[in-house]
Amino acid sequence: MPKLDELTPAEARTRVDAGEAVLIDVREPFEHRDEHIPGAHLVALSAFDPAEVARLAGDRTPIFQCRSGKRSADAAHRFATDDATVVHLAGGILACKEAGLANERAASAPKVD
């Protein structure tokens, strides 16, 4: 069974900024278009492809993220093999907002807290 390493928003940002990791947004395209963490790559859970995640990540660690953390934990487990450790952003975009980290929001996106 894979092990899940849950990162805080600050830990995830540090790893991404250092070039060690890449954010993988597993929400649906319309959700990503309306609001996303800068630099996050979209690989929707509804059409999840571990090979696409591996291609996007290259030699970096994929950090899975969604709105609140539930779908990203699911995606991390789908990506993992055997006893590997997989990483996801605990609390997702909501935790990033709470921590005061930047996100990109479309002007036409509905106002939802």
Side-chain angles (χ1 to χ4, degrees):
M1 180 77 163
K3 297 175 207 122
L4 189 61
D5 185 8
E6 295 188 332
L7 300 182
T8 66
E11 291 169 330
R13 177 70 4 208
T14 297
R15 288 189 188 185
V16 169
D17 288 349
E20 300 168 5
V22 61
L23 282 173
I24 305 294
D25 187 344
V26 300
R27 297 171 307 139
E28 294 305 308
F30 74 92
E31 293 173 292
H32 182 84
R33 182 178 54 250
D34 285 349
E35 180 176 34
H36 60 272
I37 298 169
H41 298 275
L42 178 63
V43 181
L45 190 59
S46 62
F48 191 73
D49 181 1
E52 177 65 5
V53 173
R55 185 189 71 73
L56 289 168
D59 62 351
R60 300 171 292 175
T61 301
I63 300 174
F64 296 93
Q65 61 89 191
C66 62
R67 181 175 179 270
S68 66
K70 184 174 178 16
R71 287 179 282 178
S72 59
D74 182 14
H77 282 107
R78 289 186 193 189
F79 181 74
T81 56
D82 302 322
D83 290 334
T85 298
V86 289
V87 182
H88 94 114
L89 174 59
I93 285 181
L94 295 177
C96 288
K97 287 177 168 180
E98 191 172 299
L101 297 177
N103 66 356
E104 294 180 358
R105 185 171 179 81
S108 61
K111 303 277 187 227
V112 178
D113 291 323

